[in-house]
Amino acid sequence: MEFFKNWSFSVCTALIVSAVLSVFTPSDSTKRFYKTMIAVFIFISFVYPLKDFDADIFRDFGSVDIAKSVNSSYETGINSSITSFLKEKGIIGASVSSEVLYNEDDNTAEISAVTVFIPDEYSAEETKELIFSELGVNAEVIYLGQ
């Protein structure tokens, strides 16, 4: 943010100086030359500070948001898939919470934990085995009241 603040200050200063200089330009044949020099000065004042610009701040900022977004998307998908699966198998009222770890280096996601909350009338062991045998997910199954 400091970069943008300094850049905008230098651009505003250059514009003010250019306006003052353009008032004092002679009105003879050299006027065109002076106007061109002022335009070059303004252009350089816009571009020169960019040499100090560090684009990595945007890369790091964006990657954090992307990783969070990807994790959230995967978690939502896993949660809704398991909830729908349990509903199809007759386990009504279950809710799911999952944690996904997204690796930016190789663009892979890994399920680190899945917790399934079921009502007391269903068996936790049978639900756990059903999820593992049908979906291949080793979930922790606990009762809603716990």
Side-chain angles (χ1 to χ4, degrees):
M1 195 59 155
E2 189 69 25
F3 169 80
F4 291 113
K5 191 169 134 183
N6 292 337
W7 181 73
S8 62
F9 177 76
S10 67
V11 167
C12 289
T13 304
L15 290 174
I16 291 170
V17 169
S18 298
V20 170
L21 289 176
S22 68
V23 169
F24 294 114
T25 56
S27 60
D28 58 357
S29 61
T30 59
K31 181 176 184 171
R32 187 173 187 190
F33 173 75
Y34 284 108
K35 293 286 186 179
T36 304
M37 289 291 101
I38 291 172
V40 169
F41 174 71
I42 292 171
F43 176 75
I44 290 172
S45 70
F46 271 90
V47 176
Y48 186 73
L50 294 178
K51 72 174 180 52
D52 297 329
F53 182 67
D54 184 16
D56 290 341
I57 60 172
F58 288 116
R59 188 191 71 214
D60 294 342
F61 177 73
S63 65
V64 169
D65 289 342
I66 290 171
K68 286 180 183 179
S69 176
V70 169
N71 280 357
S72 177
S73 297
Y74 278 125
E75 289 170 359
T76 302
I78 290 167
N79 295 351
S80 64
S81 296
I82 295 174
T83 302
S84 298
F85 169 75
L86 292 174
K87 195 178 281 186
E88 288 174 10
K89 297 298 181 179
I91 301 175
I92 309 298
S95 63
V96 181
S97 173
S98 62
E99 292 180 24
V100 175
L101 299 176
Y102 176 68
N103 186 349
E104 292 180 56
D105 297 333
D106 57 359
N107 290 328
T108 59
E110 178 183 325
I111 301 171
S112 62
V114 175
T115 306
V116 178
F117 301 94
I118 59 171
D120 293 339
E121 62 260 18
Y122 303 106
S123 168
E125 278 302 313
E126 289 176 10
T127 304
K128 182 175 181 166
E129 289 178 27
L130 180 66
I131 293 170
F132 185 74
S133 65
E134 296 282 332
L135 301 177
V137 175
N138 189 15
E140 178 183 6
V141 179
I142 56 179
Y143 293 107
L144 284 171
Q146 292 183 343

